[in-house]
Amino acid sequence: MSELSSRAEAPPGLFSRLLGPLIDALGAAGGIGLAALLADLIVTGESDRAVTLVGLAAVTTGLALNPALGLLGWLALAPFSRMFNLAMGSGLPDLGLHRVAAMFLLLLLLAQVTIGRRRLARLSTIEWTGLLFITGMLLAVPASRLGVIGGVQNVFDTVALPLLCFFFARNLLAGERGLGRLAVVLALVGAMLGLAAGDSLNLRNED
């Protein structure tokens, strides 16, 4: 029993102890950089980009404070994702709502696993199959007409992103309560999409 208790009370490794302060430092640096960028955008008259940046920062903050509720909020904003697109230009991938939220949440979960704050469920057959499919598509990217950057973006948006959402839901919304919240959010999203489609059809009929 003494050996088991000593193992259980063993201090965390050096990396685990340094990871928390490192994340705090990166968050502080990111906050300062965000404030400076917002000030520059407002001064130069690019208020639309400033609003988009604030929206993306709010989404990532919500994910950091509560990953489960942040995931639901992200899904609820899906019909309005075009409002959260930050064009980078110069051949760089755009920073959209789904790309930023998915990559941030993935890195957050991996960091929590590293420091022992979270345990992830084992990958299911669907996820392993999806990873193999993504690997095959990435191998075909160099031969694509979209180019390397465009091909990778297309694979991420059309295949990797839905798979990541499935992975996040399995790990953050497991249980009856989580699934109930997810069902409500998906119903709201479906209702909003239905209303938007109805308005679009009415406008076309009027034209």
Side-chain angles (χ1 to χ4, degrees):
M1 292 293 293
S2 60
E3 293 182 0
L4 292 177
S5 61
S6 62
R7 290 180 181 177
E9 298 174 359
L14 179 61
F15 179 75
S16 298
R17 286 180 290 173
L18 293 178
L19 186 60
L22 178 60
I23 293 176
D24 293 337
L26 291 176
I32 296 173
L34 176 62
L37 182 57
L38 286 175
D40 180 68
L41 291 175
I42 293 174
V43 170
T44 55
E46 298 186 51
S47 57
D48 293 341
R49 290 175 63 87
V51 172
T52 300
L53 199 58
V54 170
L56 292 176
V59 171
T60 55
T61 301
L63 290 170
L65 294 177
N66 191 318
L69 293 181
L71 174 61
L72 293 174
W74 165 27
L75 295 178
L77 291 174
F80 314 101
S81 59
R82 293 185 179 180
M83 300 172 57
F84 298 91
N85 187 62
L86 195 63
M88 302 303 293
S90 302
L92 298 175
D94 294 343
L95 296 180
L97 170 66
H98 301 314
R99 294 176 183 174
V100 172
M103 295 308 300
F104 179 83
L105 186 55
L106 179 62
L107 293 176
L108 178 64
L109 293 182
L110 292 179
Q112 291 179 344
V113 170
T114 302
I115 62 178
R117 290 182 54 186
R118 184 182 298 275
R119 294 183 63 183
L120 299 178
R122 293 184 178 180
L123 295 180
S124 64
T125 304
I126 295 176
E127 290 159 332
W128 279 115
T129 304
L131 288 175
L132 292 176
F133 186 70
I134 291 173
T135 302
M137 293 189 69
L138 289 176
L139 292 176
V141 162
S144 172
R145 297 180 180 178
L146 300 175
V148 175
I149 295 179
V152 172
Q153 291 183 76
N154 190 48
V155 172
F156 182 84
D157 293 338
T158 58
V159 183
L161 186 59
L163 186 64
L164 283 173
C165 290
F166 178 77
F167 172 77
F168 295 148
R170 285 188 64 236
N171 286 278
L172 298 176
L173 300 175
E176 184 177 352
R177 185 178 182 182
L179 292 177
R181 290 178 175 178
L182 179 60
V184 171
V185 170
L186 292 179
L188 291 176
V189 171
M192 287 187 289
L193 292 176
L195 291 175
D199 292 339
S200 178
L201 290 175
N202 291 333
L203 291 176
R204 289 183 178 180
N205 292 331
E206 291 178 0
D207 294 339

